[in-house]
Amino acid sequence: MPSPLEGMAQARRHLGIKLGLSLFWRTFFLLALLLFGCTFAWLQSFRALEYEPRAIQTAHQIASLVNLTRAALVYSDAITRVSLIKTLADQEGVRILPREPNDRFEPYTSGTLDQRVTEELIDQLGEGTTVASRVNDEPGLWIGFTIESDTYWLLLDPTRFSRVGGRTWLVWLITAITLSLAGAALITRFINRPLKQLSRATLQVREGEYEAHRLDERARTNEIRAVNIGFNRMADQLAKIEQDRAIMLAGISHDLRTPLARLRLETEMSVADEDAREHMAADIAQLDAIIDKFLDYARPDHVDFRPVLLRDVIDACTYAVQDHDDMQIKVDVPPDLRVMADEVELQRVISNLVENARRYGRTPATGVADVTIQAQAHDEAVLIKVRDHGAGVAPAILSQLTKPFFRGDTARTSAAGAGLGLSIVAKNIERMGGTFALTSTPGRGFAAHIRMPRAMPSKSLGLHGKKS
């Protein structure tokens, strides 16, 4: 029977990769996407409401300046025209130059806004108007126009044409993105902090640490404050229930053991029939063992993790039963294999599994429980299998075998247990951070599979120094 725990680590890794996006990052990405969409919408609105009016206004101002200059030159004599051209150049930064046929110029269409201004100027000044950004290698805003049959260039200061450059847009965009991401991270952190605290507290309550992490009952948000108060009250109630359960079971075991001890003493002294005395003593021992199971099941959830040699624990658990005639044990465990576990809890786990195999795993043909204990390292975990070759159980009831007080064979009157053995095993393994699973093939045997964290051997480095 292959172990169902072998592919569990790889399946968990795939699941973690598939579902590894935390709530913080999901909220952050959604907020960032929203802010980017708002920024893009703002840019488009700016282009429609600000870009276009600015281009038209600039073109009208330039066209008005060209028309005024042209009118002034037309209605002035030669002497006044020279003085007017000099005054425009000195005071307004507007130069009037004759246009030669061999002038070299570059169209003023480097950007979307420039092209829109050019189109509007041509509409305002008429066909034949030229807008250039450079004439004879001299940069500026050049407007080519005609006065009667003569052609001229009007050169304006480029700062009159205030356009937004690419660097300015880049600075605005980087600033908007930075502020958007910072705001999204801050809002996401603020929203997810109470949920993260609740998740951490829930994990600790699940591990039995009811007082380790209490939530803030004075939070400013009403809903979060109500959830925190409800969670703290729930944790207090669970702690009280757990304490009452442990006290109840301990009290029952204490109250029962005193009359059992008197019954054993009276049986040995008063019952003359040796066979009846042995049966009564066996019944009393069985009751005492059941009380021990109750105590094991009610044991507090405290474990001391440390590297443990698995072979030593198994040898200690099988030493007392290896010479029994009704049981044969084969151990296949490397002597240097270590697991991270509580040694006492791990011994309790192995002992319960061995006892369960001794009781219910006897081979029908021989009446002897043939038990095999195997272990092997698998990446960062250790896989342990305890298998018998008995009749097995139906696969339909495998999931119920770890429930308290459940026994697979209800018609088995010779069963001496309380139905807590596998429940104790499952509880202790989960408490030590391991995984427990059961498999069975009717008529061929029953197997318990355990996956425990592996304790890696420490690497000791030898340092060789030289004496001077």
Side-chain angles (χ1 to χ4, degrees):
M1 291 176 289
S3 172
L5 305 179
E6 292 182 0
M8 182 172 293
Q10 186 175 2
R12 285 181 177 176
R13 284 196 294 267
H14 290 320
L15 185 61
I17 294 175
K18 183 179 180 180
L19 304 177
L21 191 63
S22 66
L23 182 62
F24 174 85
W25 288 111
R26 187 178 66 177
T27 308
F28 174 78
F29 286 140
L30 290 176
L31 285 176
L33 183 62
L34 175 63
L35 292 173
F36 284 155
C38 292
T39 303
F40 179 77
W42 173 81
L43 288 175
Q44 295 300 321
S45 301
F46 179 81
R47 290 175 61 88
L49 301 178
E50 180 68 17
Y51 230 52
E52 186 77 9
R54 179 185 296 183
I56 296 175
Q57 182 181 5
T58 302
H60 286 177
Q61 291 176 355
I62 296 174
S64 298
L65 181 59
V66 172
N67 289 330
L68 291 174
T69 302
R70 180 160 51 188
L73 292 178
V74 168
Y75 296 106
S76 62
D77 54 25
I79 297 176
T80 306
R81 184 177 298 176
V82 173
S83 177
L84 178 61
I85 292 175
K86 187 175 184 304
T87 301
L88 289 174
D90 294 339
Q91 297 183 3
E92 300 295 333
V94 178
R95 294 169 56 188
I96 306 297
L97 302 174
R99 182 175 178 179
E100 303 296 338
N102 57 350
D103 285 343
R104 303 183 309 277
F105 63 90
E106 298 178 5
Y108 206 92
T109 56
S110 59
T112 305
L113 184 60
D114 302 338
Q115 186 175 0
R116 186 68 185 88
V117 171
T118 300
E119 294 174 355
E120 190 66 25
L121 280 175
I122 294 175
D123 291 341
Q124 293 288 327
L125 299 178
E127 295 295 335
T129 303
T130 304
V131 182
S133 61
R134 185 182 296 271
V135 175
N136 297 328
D137 297 330
E138 183 177 353
L141 178 56
W142 296 81
I143 310 298
F145 63 96
T146 60
I147 300 178
E148 297 178 350
S149 59
D150 299 329
T151 57
Y152 294 89
W153 287 109
L154 185 145
L155 176 60
L156 296 175
D157 187 358
T159 57
R160 287 177 176 266
F161 185 20
S162 59
R163 54 180 182 147
V164 180
R167 181 175 299 179
T168 305
W169 281 110
L170 182 62
V171 172
W172 286 2
L173 185 60
I174 292 177
T175 303
I177 291 176
T178 302
L179 293 178
S180 298
L181 294 178
L186 183 62
I187 294 174
T188 304
R189 180 179 176 84
F190 179 76
I191 293 176
N192 290 340
R193 182 187 301 171
L195 185 58
K196 187 175 182 180
Q197 293 174 350
L198 178 61
S199 176
R200 187 186 306 115
T202 303
L203 179 61
Q204 291 180 343
V205 169
R206 189 189 70 178
E207 298 296 331
E209 301 175 7
Y210 300 102
E211 299 293 335
H213 188 86
R214 296 186 64 83
L215 299 178
D216 184 14
E217 297 185 1
R218 294 180 294 178
R220 296 182 179 180
T221 308
N222 294 334
E223 292 80 5
I224 295 176
R225 182 169 60 251
V227 170
N228 291 350
I229 293 174
F231 181 86
N232 290 338
R233 300 300 178 270
M234 181 192 68
D236 294 339
Q237 189 69 19
L238 288 176
K240 185 176 182 302
I241 293 174
E242 182 68 20
Q243 184 179 8
D244 293 344
R245 182 178 69 94
I247 293 175
M248 179 189 67
L249 290 177
I252 291 175
S253 65
H254 179 271
D255 294 341
L256 287 178
R257 275 200 165 125
T258 301
L260 283 177
R262 289 199 301 265
L263 284 174
R264 179 176 297 175
L265 180 61
E266 292 174 359
T267 300
E268 293 177 355
M269 296 180 62
S270 303
V271 179
D273 188 351
E274 182 178 358
D275 186 60
R277 186 170 61 248
E278 290 179 355
H279 281 83
M280 294 177 67
D283 290 339
I284 293 173
Q286 179 179 338
L287 290 174
D288 195 51
I290 291 175
I291 292 173
D292 288 337
K293 293 293 184 182
F294 274 101
L295 288 177
D296 288 340
Y297 188 72
R299 193 175 301 275
D301 293 341
H302 175 72
V303 292
D304 183 18
F305 292 103
R306 62 181 61 187
V308 177
L309 276 173
L310 182 59
R311 181 61 181 266
D312 291 349
V313 173
I314 294 175
D315 289 343
C317 295
T318 58
Y319 178 77
V321 295
Q322 62 183 356
D323 295 331
H324 287 190
D325 295 335
D326 61 345
M327 190 174 191
Q328 293 183 356
I329 300 178
K330 179 181 179 182
V331 178
D332 183 13
V333 178
D336 57 344
L337 189 58
R338 297 176 183 267
V339 295
M340 289 297 299
D342 186 299
E343 186 171 358
V344 176
E345 295 290 326
L346 187 58
Q347 287 182 357
R348 188 173 292 112
V349 166
I350 301 299
S351 298
N352 275 280
L353 292 177
V354 171
E355 179 64 18
N356 186 78
R358 186 184 70 83
R359 290 179 178 178
Y360 310 121
R362 296 179 182 179
T363 305
T366 62
V368 176
D370 188 6
V371 182
T372 303
I373 303 177
Q374 297 175 321
Q376 61 179 352
H378 188 78
D379 295 334
E380 297 180 356
V382 174
L383 300 181
I384 307 170
K385 181 167 69 172
V386 180
R387 181 192 177 188
D388 61 56
H389 296 77
V393 298
I397 66 172
L398 279 178
S399 60
Q400 303 181 40
L401 291 179
T402 54
K403 294 181 179 180
F405 310 109
F406 179 84
R407 293 202 304 234
D409 189 0
T410 56
R412 185 169 48 218
T413 57
S414 62
L420 288 173
L422 294 179
S423 301
I424 295 173
V425 170
K427 182 179 178 182
N428 290 347
I429 290 176
E430 181 181 0
R431 197 161 51 192
M432 290 186 291
T435 309
F436 183 59
L438 299 173
T439 58
S440 177
T441 303
R444 297 180 56 187
F446 179 85
H449 304 270
I450 303 173
R451 187 178 188 272
M452 295 291 296
R454 182 183 180 186
M456 297 299 180
S458 58
K459 297 180 180 180
S460 58
L461 301 178
L463 301 179
H464 302 280
K466 294 182 179 181
K467 296 182 179 180
S468 59

